[in-house]
Short mmCIF file of all heavy atoms in Angstrom, two decimals:
data_model
loop_
_atom_site.label_atom_id
_atom_site.label_comp_id
_atom_site.label_asym_id
_atom_site.label_seq_id
_atom_site.Cartn_x
_atom_site.Cartn_y
_atom_site.Cartn_z
N ILE A 12 -18.43 10.67 -32.78
CA ILE A 12 -19.61 11.41 -32.75
C ILE A 12 -20.78 10.64 -33.44
O ILE A 12 -21.98 11.08 -33.30
CB ILE A 12 -19.54 12.82 -33.38
CG1 ILE A 12 -19.08 12.70 -34.82
CG2 ILE A 12 -18.45 13.68 -32.62
CD1 ILE A 12 -19.21 14.02 -35.69
N SER A 72 -20.73 7.30 -38.14
CA SER A 72 -19.42 7.37 -38.75
C SER A 72 -18.51 6.30 -38.10
O SER A 72 -18.92 5.88 -36.93
CB SER A 72 -18.84 8.73 -38.51
OG SER A 72 -19.01 9.14 -37.24
N VAL A 73 -17.39 5.95 -38.72
CA VAL A 73 -16.63 5.00 -38.14
C VAL A 73 -15.09 5.37 -38.04
O VAL A 73 -14.71 6.39 -38.74
CB VAL A 73 -16.59 3.61 -38.94
CG1 VAL A 73 -17.92 3.09 -39.07
CG2 VAL A 73 -16.04 3.88 -40.34
N GLY A 74 -14.39 4.88 -37.14
CA GLY A 74 -12.94 5.10 -37.00
C GLY A 74 -12.54 5.77 -35.76
O GLY A 74 -13.37 6.43 -35.08
N GLY A 75 -11.25 5.88 -35.52
CA GLY A 75 -10.79 6.63 -34.45
C GLY A 75 -9.31 6.07 -34.11
O GLY A 75 -8.96 4.90 -34.61
N GLU A 88 -12.63 1.62 -41.30
CA GLU A 88 -12.99 2.20 -42.49
C GLU A 88 -13.05 1.15 -43.56
O GLU A 88 -14.09 0.94 -44.17
CB GLU A 88 -12.03 3.38 -42.95
CG GLU A 88 -12.01 4.49 -41.91
CD GLU A 88 -11.12 4.24 -40.68
OE1 GLU A 88 -10.59 3.13 -40.52
OE2 GLU A 88 -10.97 5.17 -39.85
N LEU A 92 -16.99 0.06 -42.99
CA LEU A 92 -17.79 0.94 -43.88
C LEU A 92 -17.58 0.56 -45.50
O LEU A 92 -18.61 0.29 -46.07
CB LEU A 92 -17.47 2.33 -43.61
CG LEU A 92 -18.32 3.37 -44.50
CD1 LEU A 92 -19.90 3.10 -44.21
CD2 LEU A 92 -18.05 4.77 -44.00
N ILE A 257 -18.33 20.98 -42.55
CA ILE A 257 -18.54 19.56 -43.04
C ILE A 257 -19.79 18.97 -42.39
O ILE A 257 -20.38 17.99 -42.79
CB ILE A 257 -17.30 18.73 -42.87
CG1 ILE A 257 -17.50 17.43 -43.62
CG2 ILE A 257 -16.96 18.49 -41.38
CD1 ILE A 257 -16.21 16.80 -44.08
N GLU A 273 -25.82 8.57 -44.78
CA GLU A 273 -24.84 9.01 -43.72
C GLU A 273 -24.26 10.47 -43.97
O GLU A 273 -24.23 10.87 -45.12
CB GLU A 273 -23.69 8.02 -43.60
CG GLU A 273 -22.91 7.90 -45.07
CD GLU A 273 -21.69 7.07 -45.09
OE1 GLU A 273 -21.00 7.20 -44.09
OE2 GLU A 273 -21.40 6.47 -46.17
N HIS A 276 -19.02 13.49 -43.17
CA HIS A 276 -17.81 13.71 -42.26
C HIS A 276 -17.62 12.37 -41.51
O HIS A 276 -18.32 11.41 -41.71
CB HIS A 276 -18.05 14.73 -41.27
CG HIS A 276 -19.42 14.58 -40.37
ND1 HIS A 276 -19.33 13.63 -39.42
CD2 HIS A 276 -20.52 15.19 -40.37
CE1 HIS A 276 -20.50 13.65 -38.74
NE2 HIS A 276 -21.28 14.64 -39.37
N GLY A 277 -16.43 12.33 -40.81
CA GLY A 277 -16.05 11.19 -40.05
C GLY A 277 -16.45 11.22 -38.62
O GLY A 277 -17.41 11.98 -38.33
N SER A 278 -15.73 10.53 -37.81
CA SER A 278 -16.14 10.24 -36.51
C SER A 278 -15.68 11.40 -35.49
O SER A 278 -15.96 11.33 -34.24
CB SER A 278 -15.64 8.83 -35.99
OG SER A 278 -14.28 8.89 -36.09
N ALA A 279 -14.98 12.30 -36.03
CA ALA A 279 -14.46 13.52 -35.24
C ALA A 279 -14.01 13.13 -33.84
O ALA A 279 -14.59 13.69 -32.93
CB ALA A 279 -15.53 14.52 -35.33
N PRO A 280 -12.98 12.39 -33.70
CA PRO A 280 -12.63 12.01 -32.35
C PRO A 280 -12.18 13.19 -31.43
O PRO A 280 -12.43 13.20 -30.23
CB PRO A 280 -11.35 11.19 -32.52
CG PRO A 280 -11.25 10.83 -33.95
CD PRO A 280 -12.07 11.72 -34.69
N ASP A 281 -11.84 14.36 -32.10
CA ASP A 281 -11.43 15.55 -31.35
C ASP A 281 -12.58 16.25 -30.60
O ASP A 281 -12.28 16.93 -29.57
CB ASP A 281 -10.74 16.49 -32.32
CG ASP A 281 -11.46 16.95 -33.49
OD1 ASP A 281 -12.40 16.08 -33.94
OD2 ASP A 281 -11.31 18.08 -34.09
N ILE A 282 -13.82 15.88 -31.08
CA ILE A 282 -14.95 16.52 -30.37
C ILE A 282 -15.92 15.53 -29.81
O ILE A 282 -17.03 15.80 -29.37
CB ILE A 282 -15.66 17.56 -31.32
CG1 ILE A 282 -16.23 16.80 -32.59
CG2 ILE A 282 -14.85 18.73 -31.71
CD1 ILE A 282 -17.18 17.69 -33.36
N ASN A 289 -22.25 18.81 -34.78
CA ASN A 289 -23.39 19.21 -35.55
C ASN A 289 -24.16 17.96 -36.07
O ASN A 289 -23.53 17.20 -36.86
CB ASN A 289 -22.79 20.09 -36.71
CG ASN A 289 -23.91 20.68 -37.56
OD1 ASN A 289 -25.14 20.25 -37.45
ND2 ASN A 289 -23.64 21.62 -38.38
N ASP A 330 -19.51 24.59 -34.58
CA ASP A 330 -18.84 24.62 -35.81
C ASP A 330 -19.21 25.69 -36.85
O ASP A 330 -18.53 26.10 -37.76
CB ASP A 330 -18.95 23.19 -36.60
CG ASP A 330 -20.39 22.78 -36.71
OD1 ASP A 330 -21.14 22.84 -35.67
OD2 ASP A 330 -20.79 22.48 -38.00
P1 LIG B 401 -13.58 14.18 -39.61
O1 LIG B 401 -14.60 14.31 -40.66
O2 LIG B 401 -13.94 13.21 -38.53
O3 LIG B 401 -13.20 15.47 -38.87
C1 LIG B 401 -12.45 16.58 -39.56
C2 LIG B 401 -12.74 17.77 -38.86
O4 LIG B 401 -14.12 18.26 -38.82
C3 LIG B 401 -12.52 17.70 -37.31
O5 LIG B 401 -12.04 18.90 -36.78
C4 LIG B 401 -13.96 17.46 -36.67
O6 LIG B 401 -14.06 17.87 -35.34
C5 LIG B 401 -14.74 18.34 -37.64
N1 LIG B 401 -16.15 17.75 -37.72
C6 LIG B 401 -16.46 16.64 -38.47
N2 LIG B 401 -17.82 16.31 -38.36
C7 LIG B 401 -18.32 17.33 -37.55
C8 LIG B 401 -19.61 17.64 -37.13
N3 LIG B 401 -20.65 16.97 -37.35
N4 LIG B 401 -19.78 18.71 -36.39
C9 LIG B 401 -18.71 19.59 -36.10
N5 LIG B 401 -17.38 19.37 -36.50
C10 LIG B 401 -17.29 18.19 -37.15
O7 LIG B 401 -12.29 13.55 -40.41
P2 LIG B 401 -10.91 13.14 -39.86
O8 LIG B 401 -10.51 13.85 -38.55
O9 LIG B 401 -9.91 13.08 -40.98
O10 LIG B 401 -11.11 11.54 -39.37
C11 LIG B 401 -11.38 11.14 -38.07
C12 LIG B 401 -11.83 9.64 -38.12
O11 LIG B 401 -13.09 9.49 -38.94
C13 LIG B 401 -10.78 8.69 -38.82
O12 LIG B 401 -10.69 7.59 -38.18
C14 LIG B 401 -11.28 8.67 -40.28
O13 LIG B 401 -10.81 7.47 -40.87
C15 LIG B 401 -12.76 8.49 -39.94
N6 LIG B 401 -13.53 8.82 -41.06
C16 LIG B 401 -14.76 8.12 -41.24
C17 LIG B 401 -15.62 8.48 -42.25
C18 LIG B 401 -16.97 7.75 -42.33
O14 LIG B 401 -17.26 6.97 -41.39
N7 LIG B 401 -17.68 7.94 -43.29
C19 LIG B 401 -15.28 9.51 -43.13
C20 LIG B 401 -14.10 10.24 -42.88
C21 LIG B 401 -13.30 9.95 -41.91
#
Side-chain angles (χ1 to χ4, degrees):
I12 61 168
S72 49
V73 300
E88 298 83 356
L92 183 54
I257 193 156
E273 57 171 324
H276 58 74
S278 58
D281 54 335
I282 58 166
N289 184 347
D330 53 310

